[in-house]
Amino acid sequence: MYHRFLASVASLALLASPAFAQQDSITIGMVLEPPMLDPTGNAAAAIDEIVYANVFEGLTRFGPDGTVLPALAQSWDVEADGLEYVFHLAEGVQFHDGSDFTAEDVVFTLDRARADDSTNPQKGLFEGIEAVEPEGDHTVRIRLAEPDWMFPSKMAWGDAVMLDEASASGLAQNPVGTGPFRFEEWRQGDSVVLTAFDDYWGERPALRRATFRFIPDPSAAFAAMMSGGVDAFPLFPAPETLAQLEADDRFRVIVGTTEGETIMSMNHENEALSDIRVRQAIAHAINRQDIIDGAMFGFGTPIGTHFAPHHPAYLDLTELSAYAPERSRELLAEAGIDGLSLRLALPPPPYARRSGEIIASQLRAVGIDTQITNMEWAQWLEQVFAGSDFDLTIISHVEPMDIEIYARGDYYFNYQNEALKEVIAALNTAAGEAEQTELLQQAQTIIAEDFANVFLFQLAKTGVADARLEGLWENAPTPANDLTDVRWRE
């Protein structure tokens, strides 16, 4: 879950490194510094933005167009009416510490992720697994409690990457995977450096060194691009400067889509927010287009449910929660609400901070006092995501096809809907595309009509790169800066 303001003159000077990057190295700009480097131990999208497909690999992986591709599993078979998956593993694979990757590592990884004491932030991905059994060194059989057509996709998430038991306890500071790059250095508050892994089992990357530099301030990010301090900023935090960068032939502006449904989550354990009339009033108080124009400089697509508009099964339900402030006041009166005060917790990304200011003003206009608290990322993850100590918060949920989070009773916004749970359970066993689409649209409609959260906009992927770079992802089907195909044009 995604996954910033003025730098001093001295800081800008430090960013002005030589404009010409070596042909086998790259410097990537990122807004947020990850709290750790273990993608199986924390929900921060910034972790995957560094390590996904670079340091760690899963049985499967997402390609740049969102399709599920083979990774450490070169192929797989589905047996026993969809209850068993047999994965055939690549041979000759080593972890960065020299250990061989075998079926036993798959057993360890998945058993660890689904254990009672698991701290995996997406433990729900593994709940359907009944058993993981090796069949020799390079074949593993996974038995499910019930058929799950999305299982190969679940194994492509960053939370499902394969681990070595010997190094698993130290991944937060020293990530050890099987990917084409190995961890070199983490300079806290500044950067993470990866270098090419010489014993990589697959196709070697063109790059030998990658530096991920953390630049939270939009003005500093722009200065870093202009000076050559970074070669690419895949999630550029200063969209107001994109026109200027696009006019400069040194750069290429890359605008694509993400899986990031940007929502204002509501804590259903709050007594007032447990009333659908209050949730509906809040939704009708918010003008999405004002937020897209004012906070995102026009980049973003309005959404009316928790689903990506580029997906074929998407339903446009924005009219259900259209901007109607008078209706908001009527609903609050019907609910007997007078003088409601709510806390709005905002994590660091500019989309959240900027949107939050606009939303607070819109809510105050209908009589809802809104107190903003700006939080650092670690504080938001601990207090809001883990502790559910909030009333309202703004966040982009960047995981692919994640509408099933509304069926998790213990998820941070504490939403409960038995009808939705039944639909999600049926979705897991749906046989064909037509049935899957019907169920996905039912789920979208249920949460939209129940005003489960306030659905704002689909986060656009607005990036900037040196015009000589090739292979960067245009879209973001998962949080990642996949460098496996990135190269400098000759």
Side-chain angles (χ1 to χ4, degrees):
M1 271 167 281
Y2 267 106
H3 293 127
R4 314 178 162 199
F5 304 98
L6 281 171
S8 66
V9 173
S11 297
L12 291 178
L14 287 173
L15 292 173
S17 57
F20 182 74
Q22 295 296 318
Q23 295 301 301
D24 62 354
S25 68
I26 191 173
T27 299
I28 298 283
M30 288 178 54
V31 171
L32 293 177
E33 180 172 17
M36 62 164 65
L37 294 174
D38 177 6
T40 72
N42 191 283
I47 302 172
D48 279 352
E49 287 172 18
I50 294 174
V51 303
Y52 187 88
N54 296 326
V55 175
F56 290 103
E57 298 173 302
L59 294 176
T60 61
R61 56 158 292 168
F62 292 111
D65 61 353
T67 55
V68 177
L69 303 174
L72 290 173
Q74 298 285 272
S75 63
W76 55 91
D77 305 310
V78 186
E79 300 180 357
D81 297 325
L83 290 174
E84 294 186 359
Y85 280 79
V86 179
F87 289 92
H88 306 285
L89 308 179
E91 299 186 22
V93 179
Q94 285 189 338
F95 286 96
H96 300 151
D97 61 4
S99 303
D100 291 331
F101 168 73
T102 70
E104 292 292 346
D105 296 303
V106 181
V107 175
F108 165 74
T109 298
L110 297 182
D111 283 352
R112 175 179 182 262
R114 66 194 183 94
D116 291 340
D117 60 352
S118 169
T119 58
N120 192 296
Q122 297 293 346
K123 190 175 178 181
L125 294 174
F126 313 97
E127 287 179 348
I129 298 175
E130 278 198 342
V132 186
E133 301 166 348
E135 296 183 353
D137 284 345
H138 300 108
T139 304
V140 64
R141 182 179 297 271
I142 300 176
R143 189 167 66 251
L144 306 180
E146 56 187 20
D148 184 355
W149 67 276
M150 289 189 65
F151 190 68
S153 175
K154 291 177 179 179
M155 292 299 97
W157 286 41
D159 311 84
V161 294
M162 293 294 109
L163 311 176
D164 179 11
E165 184 173 5
S167 57
S169 63
L171 298 179
Q173 299 296 319
N174 184 32
V176 176
T178 62
F181 295 91
R182 65 185 306 163
F183 171 69
E184 180 74 20
E185 180 184 16
W186 185 0
R187 286 179 276 185
Q188 298 278 345
D190 180 72
S191 60
V192 166
V193 178
L194 309 180
T195 55
F197 179 43
D198 290 335
D199 294 322
Y200 182 57
W201 64 277
E203 184 177 347
R204 305 289 175 83
L207 298 173
R208 298 291 300 168
R209 183 179 180 88
T211 301
F212 294 84
R213 176 172 287 174
F214 311 122
I215 308 175
D217 174 68
S219 298
F222 175 72
M225 283 302 310
M226 294 297 290
S227 69
V230 296
D231 301 310
F233 219 121
L235 292 172
F236 191 59
E240 65 274 22
T241 66
L242 287 175
Q244 181 178 346
L245 290 162
E246 193 166 28
D248 189 327
D249 60 10
R250 293 178 297 162
F251 305 113
R252 181 166 59 100
V253 172
I254 309 168
V255 178
T257 63
T258 76
E259 294 296 316
E261 290 85 17
T262 306
I263 65 175
M264 184 167 73
S265 301
M266 297 184 279
N267 189 347
H268 289 247
E269 287 193 340
N270 178 301
E271 183 177 355
L273 296 175
S274 68
D275 188 329
I276 188 175
R277 295 169 296 183
V278 176
R279 299 196 303 272
Q280 187 176 357
I282 290 172
H284 284 307
I286 292 170
N287 188 325
R288 295 183 182 93
Q289 198 58 51
D290 281 355
I291 296 166
I292 292 170
D293 292 340
M296 306 306 297
F297 299 88
F299 293 99
T301 304
I303 56 173
T305 188
H306 196 108
F307 211 74
H310 55 261
H311 194 284
Y314 175 72
L315 283 179
D316 184 355
L317 300 170
T318 50
E319 280 303 307
L320 282 174
S321 51
Y323 178 55
E326 285 303 320
R327 181 60 180 147
S328 292
R329 296 183 184 96
E330 293 171 1
L331 286 161
L332 291 171
E334 290 175 18
I337 296 294
D338 184 21
L340 179 61
S341 180
L342 296 172
R343 301 169 298 158
L344 175 58
L346 300 177
Y351 71 77
R353 297 279 174 90
R354 292 169 173 170
S355 298
E357 294 290 343
I358 296 170
I359 286 174
S361 176
Q362 292 176 345
L363 291 177
R364 291 177 190 129
V366 300
I368 299 173
D369 184 41
T370 309
Q371 303 299 321
I372 289 176
T373 300
N374 290 329
M375 295 182 170
E376 291 308 308
W377 197 232
Q379 181 189 6
W380 187 92
L381 287 167
E382 179 179 358
Q383 180 175 326
V384 177
F385 187 74
S388 291
D389 180 10
F390 75 104
D391 298 327
L392 308 171
T393 191
I394 297 173
I395 193 68
S396 282
H397 282 258
V398 295
E399 297 84 1
M401 293 286 290
D402 60 351
I403 196 169
E404 57 83 25
I405 62 177
Y406 290 82
R408 301 183 197 175
D410 59 350
Y411 205 57
Y412 75 99
F413 43 67
N414 299 299
Y415 178 64
Q416 304 284 348
N417 187 306
E418 293 305 317
L420 178 72
K421 290 179 182 178
E422 291 177 7
V423 169
I424 296 299
L427 180 63
N428 289 336
T429 60
E433 186 175 343
E435 184 181 356
Q436 294 162 13
T437 295
E438 181 181 352
L439 290 165
L440 286 169
Q441 292 183 343
Q442 286 182 29
Q444 293 173 63
T445 302
I446 288 170
I447 61 173
E449 291 181 341
D450 204 20
F451 296 87
N453 281 315
V454 181
F455 308 106
L456 300 173
F457 58 88
Q458 196 73 14
L459 190 68
K461 186 176 188 293
T462 52
V464 184
D466 187 302
R468 298 169 296 160
L469 277 171
E470 298 176 341
L472 292 166
W473 282 10
E474 177 179 330
N475 301 315
T478 194
N481 290 309
D482 180 355
L483 300 178
T484 54
D485 289 326
V486 174
R487 65 191 66 243
W488 291 91
R489 189 170 61 248
E490 294 295 336

